[in-house]
Amino acid sequence: MMGYSELRLNCIARPQAARPMRHAVAAFLAAAGCTDSEASDDILTAVGEALANAVEHAYEGVEENAVELFARLEKNHKLAVDVFDRGKFIKRPARPGRGFGMRIVEAIAETVTVNVEDGTHVRMIFSVPLDPQPPA
């Protein structure tokens, strides 16, 4: 792949929005030449968890708003995925069987940063094994 590739998505933050956004990331990875299904599945799991948090928690008790996803694949086979919402970040108490999403994200991604100054911005960085000859 020459240069870099980008994917930008903007959807209403509803639970049903997460699935097509994950599918778009899967298509983006396939088009870029990621033929390692295990790596792709791991990335999609982490991205799915970040999206699930945004659509489930960001606008709790307020009018719906947007969730945005920006993915950028660079020359060094690094994939940066940003998930944004403009909701109010709420630190929740631990609940049995819940609250594993960000731990899953942190276990899969090389690095994860969370900024909660203006909504919530989760940035995940992944290494992506790419086929030297992506599909045409």
Side-chain angles (χ1 to χ4, degrees):
M1 161 164 286
M2 298 300 292
Y4 64 88
S5 297
E6 294 181 352
L7 172 70
R8 292 178 183 266
L9 303 169
N10 187 330
C11 295
I12 297 295
R14 296 183 181 136
Q16 60 268 33
R19 185 175 184 196
M21 292 177 88
R22 277 192 323 270
H23 285 295
V25 173
F28 176 72
L29 288 170
C34 181
T35 58
D36 184 329
S37 62
E38 186 175 329
S40 181
D41 288 348
D42 285 349
I43 291 167
L44 295 174
T45 297
V47 169
E49 289 296 334
L51 287 168
N53 283 343
V55 300
E56 184 178 345
H57 302 298
Y59 304 110
E60 198 170 283
V62 298
E63 187 176 322
E64 293 178 334
N65 208 320
V67 60
E68 299 172 60
L69 182 143
F70 173 59
R72 179 179 172 130
L73 185 59
E74 301 193 355
K75 289 184 202 180
N76 60 1
H77 295 212
K78 297 292 182 185
L79 174 70
V81 179
D82 297 283
V83 175
F84 303 92
D85 67 59
R86 298 200 178 17
K88 181 173 172 66
F89 182 82
I90 300 170
K91 182 80 171 162
R92 290 179 167 68
R95 295 185 298 179
R98 299 280 304 182
F100 298 106
M102 286 308 294
R103 286 187 253 174
I104 292 169
V105 171
E106 290 166 349
I108 295 171
E110 284 185 10
T111 60
V112 178
T113 56
V114 180
N115 182 321
V116 296
E117 290 177 21
D118 183 26
T120 302
H121 170 200
V122 177
R123 169 167 271 205
M124 301 161 279
I125 306 292
F126 306 94
S127 284
V128 181
L130 297 177
D131 186 336
Q133 296 297 325

